[in-house]
């Protein structure tokens, strides 16, 4: 895929800032370019520019460095390419959505060139999250506000208040999952008064994890109490279904979700990811919604929930990449639903922005009963066989001390009938997997998706995964968040956990299994290519998709605590700026 550098570029060696700080020609200045990009899109409610653009028929391909021969050039950076040699470059040139040059001191020359002087800032490839639930996040009722980065009640208040500033008065401000009160210094929910003080003009509900507990401000509590939710005197709402958090969530879904609000939520979710540097999401589905109060944050309709994202794609407003796995949970041993999916859908089909994946993170059968008995359910066994027969990719999750054994043994039996060794089957999370089973999965051609989900509420007994053991093993391994219910999306929090073994409460719970910053960043970028089945993404190399993140600090030099504060000041996907904090 390598593309020859054009005559507009030359390798000028390491150049000084002064000689590179502006374009050679009269193209847009960096500031003009960014201002134009921001103005062209509808301003996102998270305060970041939306990726929408009114300047062309295909704005998601309309990069600086588009068909007109213009280039987007970054100079004077610490650009960690994550290529096989670990190259650190100082400059990159982007053209037609791909990296056209990666090197030391490339110079501008074209008539429509935009040059960005990074002034030594750290750049990494766009983060690939190989297992998350971004589609659930995009379908939340209300103006969902991630609280995963708040370390105290004051930061909760500030986060909610900042969000409310961009939301019409009277609209619901919500946080549906993705945080745990253990991450706050106070280890409690905000009080009703604290929520009222922060957000006086909106009803508010913040709900922890899958199904609460939750807390509401005065306005929110009044509305919910009038609609069958039991709300305590301080706005507290118990976890669970009827009368409690599940009832509140159902009420909000029934009254707030429309095609328009879902679409807005989908755009917000992708914009939030871009603000963290996540440029590719591999979504892993939802528990099938029942429309009852027993539904939690992870429930949605697996057959319609992608529509808002597909609408954004169709209208050229989707800026970051979405890959879609199909989750299947039916309990019928004949698995008719799964068979229909395998017959009527295509794996790994689509374009650069949206593409299908495989089956996962469940194949069939009730996950809560799946491995309770002596062996997996008939639905799981039959479904797994059908996926192998169809030649699809398959992904399951493992959470217990024994389920990984049942899954891998089951996959070995299937492999004897329909070989899966070329299909890249994945086991995700694996907090307690052993070396023996890592090797058995490796022999099946499988891989492991690791996550720092224990960061929020993990303990010494509930710790893992064994990062060190697995990385040393050499089995295909990648990194994911498993956000947005029990875990944050923020990849830098997961990198903090993977490299320190310390949870959000500050307790060392995964000692001996820490990996290096270089290793975990590689898992989140280059090594996640294997999970996507794509080879032109995840590293900053000539010919690859031009996805990169300019960080607000030096990832490799900040303190461990400082890792939690890493985010993106500028995110580029396919050569297009999709997040700009305005500081570069
Ligand atoms: Zn998951």
């Amino acid at each position: 895929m390598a593309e020859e550098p054009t005559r507009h570029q030359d390798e000028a060696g390491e150049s000084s800032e002064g000689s590179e700080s502006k374009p050679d020609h009269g193209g847009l200045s960096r500031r003009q370019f960014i201002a134009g990009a921001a103005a062209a899109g509808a301003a996102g409610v998270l305060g970041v520019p939306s990726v929408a653009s009114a300047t062309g028929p295909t704005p998601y391909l309309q990069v600086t460095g588009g068909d007109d021969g213009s280039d987007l050039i970054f100079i004077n950076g610490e650009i960690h390419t994550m290529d096989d040699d670990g190259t650190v470059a100082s400059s990159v040139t982007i053209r037609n959505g791909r990296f056209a040059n990666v090197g030391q001191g490339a110079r501008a020359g074209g008539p429509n060139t935009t040059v960005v002087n990074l002034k030594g800032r750290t750049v990494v490839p766009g983060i690939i999250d190989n297992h998350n639930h971004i589609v659930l996040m995009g379908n939340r009722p209300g103006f969902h506000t991630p609280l995963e980065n708040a370390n105290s009640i004051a930061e909760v208040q500030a986060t909610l208040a900042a969000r409310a500033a961009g939301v019409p008065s009277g609209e619901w401000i919500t946080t549906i999952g993705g945080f745990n009160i253990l991450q706050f210094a106070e280890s409690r929910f905000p009080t009703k008064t604290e929520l009222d003080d922060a957000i006086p003009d909106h009803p508010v509900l913040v709900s922890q994890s899958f199904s609460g507990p939750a807390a509401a401000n005065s306005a929110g509590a009044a509305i919910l109490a009038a609609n069958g939710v039991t709300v305590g005197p301080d706005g507290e709402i118990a976890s669970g279904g009827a009368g409690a958090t599940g009832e509140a969530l159902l009420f909000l879904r029934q009254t707030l979700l429309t095609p328009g609000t879902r679409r807005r939520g989908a755009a917000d979710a992708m914009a939030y990811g871009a603000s963290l540097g996540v440029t590719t999401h591999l979504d892993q589905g939802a528990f099938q919604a029942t429309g009852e109060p027993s539904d939690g944050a992870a429930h949605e309709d697996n057959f319609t929930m992608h529509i808002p994202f597909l609408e954004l794609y169709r209208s050229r407003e989707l800026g970051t990449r979405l890959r879609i796995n199909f989750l299947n949970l039916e309990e019928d041993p004949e698995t008719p639903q799964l068979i229909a999916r395998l017959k009527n859908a295509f794996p790994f089909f689509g374009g650069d922005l949206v593409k299908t994946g495989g089956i996962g993170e469940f194949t069939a059968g009730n996950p809560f009963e799946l491995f309770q008995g002596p062996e997996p359910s008939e639905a799981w066994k039959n479904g797994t066989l059908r996926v192998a027969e169809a030649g699809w990719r398959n992904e399951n999750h493992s959470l217990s001390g024994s389920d990984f054994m049942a899954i891998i043994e089951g996959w070995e039996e299937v492999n004897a009938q329909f070989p899966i060794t070329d299909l890249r089957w994945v086991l995700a999370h694996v907090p307690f997997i052993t070396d023996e089973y890592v090797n058995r999965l490796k022999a099946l051609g499988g891989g492991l998706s690791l996550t720092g989900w224990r960061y929020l509420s993990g303990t010494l007994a509930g710790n893992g995964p064994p990062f060190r053991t697995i990385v040393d093993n050499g089995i295909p391994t990648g990194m994911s968040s498993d956000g947005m219910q029990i875990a944050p999306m923020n990849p830098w929090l997961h990198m903090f956990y993977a490299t320190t073994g310390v949870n959000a409460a500050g307790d060392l719970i995964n000692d001996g299994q820490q990996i290096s910053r270089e290793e975990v960043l590689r898992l989140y970028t280059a090594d996640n290519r294997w999970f996507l089945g794509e080879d032109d993404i995840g590293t900053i190399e000539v010919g690859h998709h031009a996805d990169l993140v300019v960080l607000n600090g030096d990832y490799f030099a900040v303190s461990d605590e400082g890792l939690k504060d890493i985010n993106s000041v500028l995110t580029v996907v396919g050569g297009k700026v999709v997040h700009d904090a305005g500081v570069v």
Side-chain angles (χ1 to χ4, degrees):
M1 297 293 297
E3 192 178 314
E4 287 295 311
T6 72
R7 74 186 84 118
H8 297 311
Q9 295 174 286
D10 53 73
E11 291 291 328
E14 199 67 69
S15 304
S16 72
E17 232 178 77
S19 68
E20 289 191 333
S21 59
K22 56 187 178 193
D24 291 358
H25 293 263
L28 279 180
S29 75
R30 153 87 182 136
R31 187 51 54 197
Q32 287 169 322
F33 164 67
I34 294 300
V45 285
L46 288 177
V48 298
S50 138
V51 297
S53 169
T55 54
T58 56
Y60 63 90
L61 288 176
Q62 188 209 347
V63 297
T64 298
D67 303 348
D68 57 354
S70 61
D71 293 344
L72 175 58
I73 301 180
F74 291 89
I75 58 170
N76 293 328
E78 283 278 323
I79 302 169
H80 296 263
T81 67
M82 305 311 285
D83 68 5
D84 288 346
D85 299 327
T87 302
V88 180
S90 70
S91 68
V92 298
T93 299
I94 296 171
R95 185 176 309 133
N96 295 327
R98 305 247 175 188
F99 293 114
N101 181 268
V102 179
Q104 311 295 333
R107 293 176 62 95
N112 298 309
T113 297
T114 302
V115 176
V116 180
N117 189 340
L118 293 167
K119 298 177 182 170
R121 286 185 183 274
T122 301
V123 175
V124 299
I127 300 295
I128 300 167
D129 191 341
N130 80 37
H131 180 127
N132 74 25
H133 300 274
I134 184 79
V135 176
L136 276 167
M137 185 183 182
N139 282 277
R140 303 279 198 236
F143 285 77
H144 173 73
T145 308
L147 286 178
E148 60 189 40
N149 305 309
N151 298 307
S152 64
I153 298 295
E155 289 184 16
V156 169
Q157 290 177 301
T159 304
L160 293 172
R163 172 67 148 162
V167 173
S169 179
E171 297 277 356
W172 277 88
I173 305 289
T174 56
T175 302
I176 313 295
F179 74 96
N180 190 295
I181 57 170
L182 294 177
Q183 79 194 60
F184 308 144
E186 298 86 351
S187 292
R188 62 167 174 82
F189 276 93
T191 65
K192 192 160 70 176
T193 304
E194 287 165 342
L195 289 174
D196 286 344
D197 287 348
I199 316 102
D201 299 331
H202 302 266
V204 176
L205 179 78
V206 296
S207 171
Q208 177 176 287
S209 192
F210 288 117
S211 55
N217 70 350
S218 294
I223 295 169
L224 293 171
N227 285 279
V229 180
T230 304
V231 184
D234 203 25
E236 68 269 32
I237 302 168
S239 63
T245 298
E247 197 89 59
L249 184 53
L250 184 61
F251 168 75
L252 294 179
R253 281 176 165 152
Q254 290 175 336
T255 55
L256 300 179
L257 285 176
T258 67
T261 62
R262 286 179 191 269
R263 181 172 160 149
R264 188 253 304 143
D268 281 0
M270 294 305 246
Y272 177 67
S275 77
L276 299 168
V278 182
T279 55
T280 302
H281 303 264
L282 172 47
D283 187 78
Q284 301 278 350
F287 294 129
Q288 186 60 30
T290 66
E292 300 292 330
S294 55
D295 286 357
H299 286 74
E300 251 301 335
D301 185 341
N302 283 289
F303 302 96
T304 59
M305 68 182 189
H306 305 99
I307 289 173
F309 288 84
L310 299 178
E311 284 179 348
L312 291 175
Y313 170 70
R314 245 175 251 124
S315 60
R316 321 298 189 193
E317 293 171 87
L318 189 70
T320 50
R321 306 183 197 279
L322 178 65
R323 307 292 182 257
I324 299 167
N325 265 8
F326 300 112
L327 180 149
N328 192 66
L329 279 174
E330 72 191 311
E331 297 186 52
D332 183 337
E334 300 298 319
T335 66
Q337 186 175 286
L338 175 65
I339 289 169
R341 179 74 85 181
L342 294 169
K343 281 182 175 174
N344 294 298
F346 303 101
F348 300 106
F349 178 77
D352 290 340
L353 274 175
V354 179
K355 195 178 287 186
T356 62
I359 301 298
E361 64 182 294
F362 300 116
T363 310
N366 183 334
F368 302 109
E369 298 167 2
L370 201 52
F371 303 110
Q372 302 297 319
E375 61 175 47
S377 67
E378 289 303 314
W380 185 86
K381 287 199 282 190
N382 182 55
T384 304
L385 200 61
R386 299 280 80 84
V387 178
E389 181 182 32
W392 277 51
R393 184 183 122 114
N394 193 19
E395 177 161 349
N396 278 186
H397 85 189
S398 159
L399 292 178
S400 80
S402 61
D403 57 3
F404 62 88
M405 301 180 197
I407 294 169
I408 291 171
E409 287 165 15
W411 288 0
E412 287 171 339
E413 285 177 29
V414 163
N415 183 58
Q417 200 171 339
F418 300 108
I420 64 169
T421 49
D422 293 332
L423 301 181
R424 292 181 291 112
W425 284 22
V426 173
L427 201 52
H429 315 338
V430 293
F432 302 118
I433 197 166
T434 61
D435 226 6
E436 179 200 342
Y437 279 86
V438 174
N439 284 325
R440 287 170 70 165
L441 179 61
K442 194 160 127 184
L444 292 170
L448 293 171
S449 169
L450 305 183
T451 170
W453 69 289
R454 297 290 204 189
Y455 168 76
L456 278 190
S457 55
T459 61
L460 267 178
N463 64 356
F467 291 104
R468 182 77 270 150
T469 300
I470 290 167
V471 168
D472 288 348
N473 178 283
I475 187 172
T477 304
M479 194 72 190
S480 71
S481 71
D482 199 24
M484 324 307 170
Q485 286 74 236
I486 56 165
M489 184 207 295
N490 187 338
W492 312 101
L493 296 177
H494 290 270
M495 292 193 230
F496 168 84
Y497 178 74
T499 54
T500 65
V502 173
N503 66 12
D507 303 325
L508 177 61
I509 63 170
N510 208 28
D511 199 22
Q513 292 294 343
Q514 297 93 337
I515 55 177
S516 73
R517 293 187 190 185
E518 170 81 19
E519 285 171 325
V520 73
L521 182 59
R522 186 164 289 279
L523 294 181
Y524 247 132
T525 54
D527 291 352
N528 268 345
R529 285 179 292 193
W530 186 90
F531 293 79
L532 303 179
E534 299 170 39
D535 59 9
D536 56 355
I537 197 168
T539 61
I540 298 173
E541 294 183 80
V542 172
H544 284 200
H545 288 298
D547 299 356
L548 63 75
V549 189
V550 182
L551 300 178
N552 64 334
D554 185 346
Y555 166 77
F556 292 96
V558 294
S559 67
D560 285 343
E561 280 298 309
L563 279 179
K564 297 181 186 176
D565 297 323
I566 293 284
N567 59 40
S568 168
V569 296
L570 191 79
T571 304
V572 174
V573 177
K576 184 170 176 57
V577 174
V578 296
H579 167 75
D580 178 16
V583 300
V584 178

